[in-house]
């Protein structure tokens, strides 16, 4: 469709979702945009124009250093939609995220994009180990990946030493994540974060509990006290992780990858077991929330019947016990609830 528009770049950038971003001068800069015949001509102050050619599906290229193309990862399944890897939009996260340990946004260079792509190429297979519903969740819910800076430091040219991820209720379908270490780590992040997306959407449709925001509950995966809703989300997501790691372990041949999967499953399972009674015993649950909680109990009970290597289970039990003891120490001996 041919058109002419007067746009405004702020902060030195004009971001065009799904296409890319034009670097301009500082401050507020008017940009004239003219689209015709499959070409988008962008002209800021001055005679020089940038001609952008949209690509089929996602992104656009231009023979100008002022243009940064939007990038996307290939569809998870044949016939699916590309997943934008958004490191361009200046409004992709708030300037001061409120989650503790939540790192800031980052721009990706070519090497980092290749590492993301390498991990992504095996993610569908890893997700599939957890059953077709795990791939279905990701295909249906995931609409955008926003790269985060790695936690701690990293060496130039090397993958990051750790990872962090999160979602935001006001950005349905977006997953914010630092660079995943491998396909299994990528799949774990998607399993984890899609549970938050689902539960947040369900809670927006019907109240699940009436608990207050006071951070007072023990969560075996966090050092700080959690509000009831944070514990609710954590148990729900860790339950899915325990299930996925169990199926992933069963699908792998003997070796380090399988041992890692058994260890992760055992830890997640024990963490859920330590926190689930608080949710089930709460009088703050609504009837809908009670239904969800009972479903979590059923899923957890099924997991406890799975055969797990005894050494991994013993270490997981000891880990949760140590975590509880340290939490009590930090809280001055207050019994966790």
């Amino acid at each position: 469709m041919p058109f002419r528009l007067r746009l405004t770049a702020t902060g030195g950038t004009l971001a065009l979702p799904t296409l890319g971003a034009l670097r301009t001068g500082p401050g507020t800069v008017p940009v004239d945009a003219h689209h015709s015949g499959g070409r988008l001509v962008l002209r800021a102050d001055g005679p020089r124009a940038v001609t952008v050619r949209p690509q089929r599906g996602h992104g656009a290229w231009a023979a100008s250093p002022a243009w940064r193309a939007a990038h996307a990862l290939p569809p998870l399944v044949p016939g699916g939609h590309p997943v934008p890897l958004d490191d361009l939009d200046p409004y992709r996260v708030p300037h001061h995220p409120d989650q503790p340990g939540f790192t800031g946004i980052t721009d990706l260079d070519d090497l980092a994009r290749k590492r993301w792509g390498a991990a992504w190429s095996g993610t569908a297979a890893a997700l599939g180990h957890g059953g077709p519903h795990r791939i279905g969740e990701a295909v249906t819910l995931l609409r955008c990946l926003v790269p985060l800076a790695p936690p701690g430091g990293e060496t130039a040219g090397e993958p990051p030493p750790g990872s962090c991820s999160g979602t935001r209720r006001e950005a349905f379908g977006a997953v914010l994540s630092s660079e995943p270490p491998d396909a299994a780590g990528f799949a774990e992040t998607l399993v984890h974060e899609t549970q938050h997306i689902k539960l947040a959407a369900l809670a927006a449709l019907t109240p699940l509990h009436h608990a207050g925001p006071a951070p007072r509950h023990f969560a075996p995966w966090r050092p700080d006290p959690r509000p009831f809703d944070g514990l609710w989300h954590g148990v729900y997501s860790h339950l899915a992780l325990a299930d996925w790691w169990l199926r992933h372990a069963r699908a792998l041949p003997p070796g380090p990858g399988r041992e890692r999967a058994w260890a992760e499953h055992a830890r997640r399972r024990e963490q859920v077991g330590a926190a689930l009674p608080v949710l089930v015993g709460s009088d703050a649950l609504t009837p809908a929330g009670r239904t969800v909680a009972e479903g979590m109990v059923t899923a957890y009970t099924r997991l406890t019947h799975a055969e797990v290597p005894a050494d991994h289970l013993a270490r997981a039990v000891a880990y949760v016990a140590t975590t509880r003891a340290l939490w009590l120490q930090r809280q001055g001996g207050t019994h966790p609830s």
Side-chain angles (χ1 to χ4, degrees):
M1 179 183 297
F3 65 80
R4 291 182 181 273
L5 288 174
R6 168 62 64 92
L7 305 174
T8 303
T10 57
T13 300
L14 174 67
L16 301 178
T18 76
L19 296 179
L22 178 71
R23 292 190 183 97
T24 65
T28 300
V29 178
V31 179
D32 290 317
H34 175 210
H35 180 263
S36 178
R39 297 192 308 168
L40 177 65
V41 179
L42 302 173
R43 189 184 302 275
D45 286 343
R48 183 171 299 179
V50 174
T51 299
V52 177
R53 294 171 172 81
Q55 301 176 113
R56 184 179 297 276
H58 191 88
W61 65 275
S64 170
W67 177 255
R68 292 184 61 203
H71 290 270
L73 297 169
L76 265 176
V77 296
H81 53 78
V83 178
L85 189 59
D86 187 2
D87 64 339
L88 296 179
D89 192 326
Y91 306 108
R92 56 194 182 273
V93 296
H95 291 296
H96 300 287
D98 56 10
Q99 290 104 327
F102 208 55
T103 61
I105 57 177
T106 187
D107 296 337
L108 301 181
D109 57 21
D110 288 340
L111 181 58
R113 289 193 186 96
K114 288 178 181 178
R115 291 199 300 259
W116 276 82
W120 181 256
S121 65
T123 297
L127 277 174
H129 290 166
H133 62 294
R134 295 300 177 204
I135 295 181
E137 285 177 345
V139 170
T140 302
L141 298 175
L142 183 62
R143 286 293 174 266
C144 180
L145 284 162
V146 177
L148 297 177
E154 69 171 316
T155 303
E158 296 294 330
S163 61
C164 64
S165 63
T167 57
R168 302 196 65 85
R169 295 172 189 262
E170 67 271 24
F172 181 84
V175 170
L176 299 85
S177 175
S178 60
E179 182 184 316
D182 51 29
F186 216 149
E188 178 189 25
T189 295
L190 295 185
V191 171
H192 182 177
E193 300 304 341
T194 52
Q195 308 316 306
H196 291 306
I197 293 172
K198 288 194 301 180
L199 198 56
L202 179 60
L205 295 173
T206 181
L208 300 176
H209 65 80
H210 300 300
R216 62 186 185 88
H217 298 286
F218 166 66
W221 49 86
R222 291 283 293 260
D224 53 331
R226 300 295 288 150
F228 186 88
D229 195 64
L231 189 70
W232 178 257
H233 268 265
V235 169
Y236 188 74
S237 62
H238 278 68
L239 184 60
L241 286 172
D243 176 74
W244 178 78
W245 278 114
L246 172 65
R247 296 168 184 251
H248 189 53
R250 288 171 171 171
L252 293 176
R258 188 177 189 181
E259 294 304 309
R260 169 193 173 192
W262 280 126
E264 293 286 353
H265 161 71
R267 179 180 296 187
R268 308 300 184 190
R269 191 175 95 178
E270 290 304 306
Q271 289 172 326
V272 169
L276 186 56
V278 176
L279 302 183
V280 178
S282 175
D283 58 4
L285 294 178
T286 65
R290 177 66 58 187
T291 299
V292 175
E294 290 174 354
M296 287 194 278
V297 171
T298 300
Y300 170 73
T301 302
R302 184 172 62 248
L303 288 178
T304 61
H305 294 156
E307 293 187 7
V308 179
D311 56 337
H312 288 299
L313 190 57
R315 281 192 288 269
V317 171
Y319 174 84
V320 172
T322 301
T323 301
R324 184 188 296 270
L326 291 173
W327 191 91
L328 283 170
Q329 188 178 46
R330 283 190 294 266
Q331 305 309 312
T334 303
H335 192 274
S337 60

